[in-house]
Amino acid sequence: MANLKEIRNRITSVSSTMQITSAMKMVSAAKLKKAQDAITAMRPYAEKLTELLQSLSASLEGEVGGAFTTQREIKKVLVVVVTSNRGLCGAFNSNVIKQAKLVSESYPGKQVDFFTIGKKGNDTIKKTHQVIENKSEVYDDLTFEKVAQIAQQLTDLFTSGAYDKIEIVYNQFKNAATQIVQTEQFLPLAPMQSNVAVAADYIFEPSKEEIVLTLIPKSLKTQLYKSIRDSFAAEHGARMTAMHKATDNATALRNQLKLTYNKARQAAITNEILEIVGGAEALNN
């Protein structure tokens, strides 16, 4: 059994860790509320924008998406991996990285490169795969304008023919304890639903075609922004849950160490009493 000093040191160490994890849990909970409000407020807009784009496209004949809908023979694929800049959030990052590698393996014989958003994903993937660029700094000040620049960069890579397909892998926020890994096709645009009807009493100015071509870049930027916002909220939820579990584990370990310490202390006191009694008996005899 460890001596009393070693047990006391372990209790002090575990208590310090527990204070840190508890503080991190509270910080993540505060950040989660803000991030959750942001993604919750944004989702209806993103869904309505997609619905409007589908309605307009379904009412038009022929190809209206231009370069955004061009279906080319797939030779080069770009996988956009959205992770976090920091760890201590359970399997949040590893799940996305694992899914991104599965996506790359689904294109045997093709060139698959990665575009990372988040330091953790970049640090892991660049060891085994080609990462053309990393945008970890976007989390320093997460705004639509910064994400729009990244979306435009990805769009240029596709329209220029540098890549024939672009996919996004990220964590979708469901609640504080649940994150769902999603894989979405960014470009080319998936065929619009032909069964979606647009209201007949709409007056379009300018033409439907011009509106669709204006909405597509806006929709792509919104899609990427929503994905990053989803991941941002999911990160804080995952970290809050992980720190909550870590705090509970540290509390249980501290209680166990205290029990071990008390038993060792009682054993030491008992031994001292026995030694004193034995010494007194020896003197009497």
Side-chain angles (χ1 to χ4, degrees), residues 242-253:
M243 291 301 99
H244 175 73
K245 292 180 180 178
T247 302
D248 289 346
N249 292 337
T251 302
L253 180 57

Side-chain angles (χ1 to χ4, degrees), residues 176-209:
T178 306
Q179 300 83 39
I180 304 171
V181 180
Q182 295 283 357
T183 302
E184 295 179 356
Q185 182 170 314
F186 186 69
L187 284 167
L189 291 177
M192 301 298 178
Q193 298 178 8
S194 59
N195 59 346
V196 180
V198 65
D201 59 347
Y202 283 178
I203 298 175
F204 297 98
E205 182 64 35
S207 65
K208 293 181 183 179
E209 290 82 356

Side-chain angles (χ1 to χ4, degrees), residues 6-283:
E6 290 177 349
I7 298 176
R8 282 199 302 269
N9 289 339
R10 289 191 64 189
I11 291 174
T12 302
S13 177
V14 171
S15 297
S16 299
T17 301
M18 186 178 68
Q19 291 177 351
I20 294 171
T21 56
S22 179
M24 291 183 68
K25 173 190 171 183
M26 290 187 291
V27 170
S28 293
K31 291 182 177 180
L32 172 63
K33 180 62 171 63
K34 184 177 180 180
Q36 183 177 353
D37 290 344
I39 188 60
T40 302
M42 182 186 176
R43 276 177 181 164
Y45 170 77
E47 291 171 359
K48 194 65 179 178
L49 180 61
T50 302
E51 178 187 336
L52 178 59
L53 187 60
Q54 289 179 341
S55 298
L56 288 171
S57 300
S59 66
L60 295 172
E61 296 181 358
E63 292 288 335
V64 294
F68 302 107
T69 58
T70 303
Q71 300 287 338
R72 299 191 292 261
E73 179 185 355
I74 298 177
K75 296 180 180 179
K76 298 179 67 178
V77 180
L78 183 64
V79 181
V80 181
V81 185
V82 184
T83 57
S84 67
N85 283 344
R86 297 187 298 145
L88 297 178
C89 47
F92 174 84
N93 291 312
S94 60
N95 286 341
V96 172
I97 294 170
K98 185 185 300 182
Q99 178 63 24
K101 291 182 178 180
L102 289 175
V103 170
S104 69
E105 292 170 1
S106 66
Y107 296 98
K110 312 297 182 183
Q111 178 182 335
V112 181
D113 295 335
F114 289 84
F115 187 108
T116 57
I117 299 175
K119 185 175 182 296
K120 289 298 179 180
N122 180 65
D123 291 346
T124 301
I125 294 175
K126 71 179 181 181
K127 295 177 182 178
T128 55
H129 296 79
Q130 173 69 24
V131 177
I132 64 169
E133 193 163 350
N134 175 44
K135 292 290 186 180
S136 301
E137 68 278 2
V138 71
Y139 290 115
D140 297 339
D141 182 22
L142 185 54
T143 61
F144 180 81
E145 288 73 20
K146 285 188 174 182
V147 176
Q149 293 176 4
I150 300 175
Q152 185 61 52
Q153 183 179 352
L154 294 174
T155 302
D156 292 342
L157 287 172
F158 176 78
T159 55
S160 66
Y163 291 94
D164 304 308
K165 190 174 184 180
I166 300 178
E167 296 198 58
I168 306 175
V169 182
Y170 68 99
N171 271 306
Q172 184 183 59
F173 175 79
K174 183 176 181 181
N175 53 52
T178 306
Q179 300 83 39
I180 304 171
V181 180
Q182 295 283 357
T183 302
E184 295 179 356
Q185 182 170 314
F186 186 69
L187 284 167
L189 291 177
M192 301 298 178
Q193 298 178 8
S194 59
N195 59 346
V196 180
V198 65
D201 59 347
Y202 283 178
I203 298 175
F204 297 98
E205 182 64 35
S207 65
K208 293 181 183 179
E209 290 82 356
E210 291 182 55
I211 293 176
V212 169
L213 291 175
T214 303
L215 282 180
I216 287 177
K218 181 74 171 179
S219 177
L220 291 172
K221 294 172 183 177
T222 303
Q223 178 186 356
L224 183 61
Y225 186 59
K226 183 183 74 68
S227 300
I228 296 177
R229 269 291 177 191
D230 252 320
S231 180
F232 190 62
E235 173 194 348
H236 292 304
R239 182 171 292 111
M240 186 185 74
T241 302
M243 291 301 99
H244 175 73
K245 292 180 180 178
T247 302
D248 289 346
N249 292 337
T251 302
L253 180 57
R254 185 187 63 175
N255 293 339
Q256 182 181 355
L257 287 171
K258 283 184 175 181
L259 182 60
T260 303
Y261 176 80
N262 290 334
K263 288 181 178 179
R265 184 167 175 270
Q266 290 173 355
I269 294 173
T270 302
N271 288 334
E272 291 177 2
I273 293 175
L274 290 176
E275 290 175 0
I276 294 172
V277 171
E281 289 293 333
L283 292 173

